[in-house]
Amino acid sequence: MPIEKTAMMTHDDALKQLSHISRKRAFGRHVGSDQLIQAGLNALLAEVESPSLALLAGLLRSEEPEASALFDQVLEELGLLFHPPADPRAAKWAMAYWVAGQIADGSLDPAAGTYLVWADIAYDLDYPEELEPLVHCAHNLDGWEESWGVPLEQLNREAVTAAKLFLSKRSAADAGD
């Protein structure tokens, strides 16, 4: 397996990457064995300490089927294993907040993130009002044409704003509890 040439990660960046992949997998998104192994290698090089990390990082292509179980073991050892809520609706809402957070912080492309909210979350939740601004942004970004006279960058900014607003409403609701 060739080693990807990436900038050296910090310890915190490596932990964030592991945590991100944990959530991605917990929400049913596909993460290839090669990505799990690479994340393990990144963490090992960033001096993250876990008994199983070297085993994960050192897997050969023929051993890739073992990556998923080893990755989960590493997450468990680091206290990063994420379990979404057992209730399917609550899990979808948790996923919506996770995706919106990534759109808001710039780690997920607004078009890809809003599309995910539209296709994989809002649909399953019967299109709740709270997700309507993000779904609207997804429609605009998915169908955008240059002839509209609206720059794509503006639609991306609107999606980021919608994600931040969605997150702020949750924070306000949490503060009122």
Side-chain angles (χ1 to χ4, degrees):
M1 167 173 203
I3 295 177
E4 293 178 16
K5 293 184 179 181
T6 57
M8 187 70 149
M9 281 191 173
T10 66
H11 185 271
D12 287 347
D13 288 341
L15 290 175
K16 283 179 190 171
Q17 182 183 44
L18 293 171
S19 181
H20 171 78
I21 293 171
S22 175
R23 287 182 180 268
K24 189 173 181 178
R25 292 176 72 223
F27 288 127
R29 311 305 298 165
H30 174 74
V31 180
S33 295
D34 58 330
Q35 293 172 298
L36 301 177
I37 295 166
Q38 185 63 49
L41 182 58
N42 292 343
L44 190 64
L45 293 173
E47 299 181 0
V48 172
E49 294 185 23
S50 159
S52 304
L53 190 56
L55 295 172
L56 173 64
L59 287 178
L60 303 173
R61 183 169 300 282
S62 63
E63 299 170 315
E64 280 187 2
E66 299 172 37
S68 183
L70 268 174
F71 187 82
D72 286 344
Q73 190 171 334
V74 167
L75 292 175
E76 188 72 46
E77 292 165 0
L78 294 171
L80 297 175
L81 191 58
F82 175 76
H83 297 285
D87 173 65
R89 288 188 62 79
K92 286 293 181 179
W93 278 109
M95 185 177 178
Y97 287 112
W98 176 66
V99 170
Q102 291 177 85
I103 295 169
D105 73 14
S107 62
L108 181 60
D109 175 69
T114 57
Y115 185 85
L116 187 59
V117 168
W118 171 28
D120 288 1
I121 301 169
Y123 175 82
D124 290 340
L125 293 173
D126 203 23
Y127 295 102
E129 183 180 326
E130 297 90 338
L131 295 178
E132 195 282 323
L134 290 166
V135 170
H136 178 77
C137 290
H139 284 279
N140 286 342
L141 287 164
D142 189 52
W144 180 82
E145 294 180 17
E146 199 168 333
S147 64
W148 289 5
V150 176
L152 185 58
E153 294 76 26
Q154 180 179 334
L155 296 179
N156 281 325
R157 284 192 302 274
E158 289 172 8
V160 170
T161 300
K164 288 179 179 177
L165 183 60
F166 174 68
L167 292 169
S168 72
K169 288 180 180 178
R170 177 188 188 191
S171 298
D174 290 347
D177 284 347

